[in-house]
């Protein structure tokens, strides 16, 4: 979202830990879950086609809410692809880009599979989780 990017002086950086803090009820959980869902946005549609880690320190993570968000994103991307296809001229010239289809693997289920949730109960478990992230990410990438 350009508004959030501007407010934050560039947005959230991929491959970094971002802590979201604030008083109760301001939307911290909502924002964090939306960022996790948006991380899966295909490159063809301006995203990074990535995965995310959600460290839940309050027990507020709601997978059913995230599923609704993921379904909305998938629907939005398909609608965007449809609009692009409808705007494309019938006679496509060689120099014009071809229509970009939504990747078949871009589903709400796969979005949720790409969100790795860690529930922490105290500062020690939170620090331990954060320090273990490089190893977790290496294992996810298939490295040693």
């Amino acid at each position: 979202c350009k508004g959030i990017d501007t407010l934050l002086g560039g947005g959230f950086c991929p491959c970094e830990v971002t802590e979201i803090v604030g008083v109760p009820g301001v939307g911290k959980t909502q924002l964090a879950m939306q960022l996790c869902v948006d991380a899966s946005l295909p490159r063809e549609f301006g995203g990074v086609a990535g995965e995310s880690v959600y460290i839940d320190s309050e027990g507020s993570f709601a997978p059913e809410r995230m599923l609704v968000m993921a379904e909305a994103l998938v629907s939005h991307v398909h609608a965007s692809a449809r609009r692009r296809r409808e705007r494309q001229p019938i006679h496509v010239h060689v120099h014009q880009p071809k229509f970009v289809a939504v990747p078949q693997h871009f589903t709400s289920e796969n979005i949720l599979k790409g969100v790795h949730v860690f529930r922490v109960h105290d500062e020690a478990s939170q620090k331990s989780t954060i320090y273990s992230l490089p190893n977790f990410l290496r294992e996810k990438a298939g490295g040693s």
Side-chain angles (χ1 to χ4, degrees), residues 3-4 26 43 50 69-70 74 78 80 82 92 110 112 114 128 132 134 141:
I4 292 175
V26 296
R43 286 182 179 87
M69 297 167 107
V74 169
H78 279 280
S80 176
R82 238 184 341 273
V92 178
N110 284 337
L112 292 186
S128 175
S132 70

Side-chain angles (χ1 to χ4, degrees), residues 15-16 32 46-47 49 52 66-67 69 73 100 106 141:
C15 304
E16 288 187 3
S52 56
M66 186 173 276
L67 177 60
M69 297 167 107
L73 181 62
V100 178
F106 187 66

Side-chain angles (χ1 to χ4, degrees), residues 128-144:
S128 175
T129 300
I130 291 170
Y131 289 139
S132 70
L133 284 178
N135 288 336
F136 171 78
L137 296 173
R138 266 193 298 279
E139 288 174 15
K140 287 289 302 163
S144 52

Side-chain angles (χ1 to χ4, degrees), residues 47-69:
V48 296
E51 296 185 5
S52 56
V53 172
Y54 185 105
I55 301 174
D56 183 3
S57 63
E58 297 180 337
S60 57
F61 179 78
E64 55 283 337
R65 176 66 185 127
M66 186 173 276
L67 177 60
V68 170
M69 297 167 107

Side-chain angles (χ1 to χ4, degrees), residues 5-62:
D5 288 349
T6 301
L7 180 66
L8 297 172
F12 291 93
C13 294
C15 304
E16 288 187 3
V17 174
T18 301
E19 182 177 19
I20 301 173
V21 298
V23 297
V26 296
K28 298 179 299 291
T29 300
Q30 181 82 8
L31 175 60
M33 289 195 305
Q34 189 66 59
L35 288 169
C36 287
V37 168
D38 289 350
S40 66
L41 187 65
R43 286 182 179 87
E44 300 89 346
F45 293 87
V48 296
E51 296 185 5
S52 56
V53 172
Y54 185 105
I55 301 174
D56 183 3
S57 63
E58 297 180 337
S60 57
F61 179 78

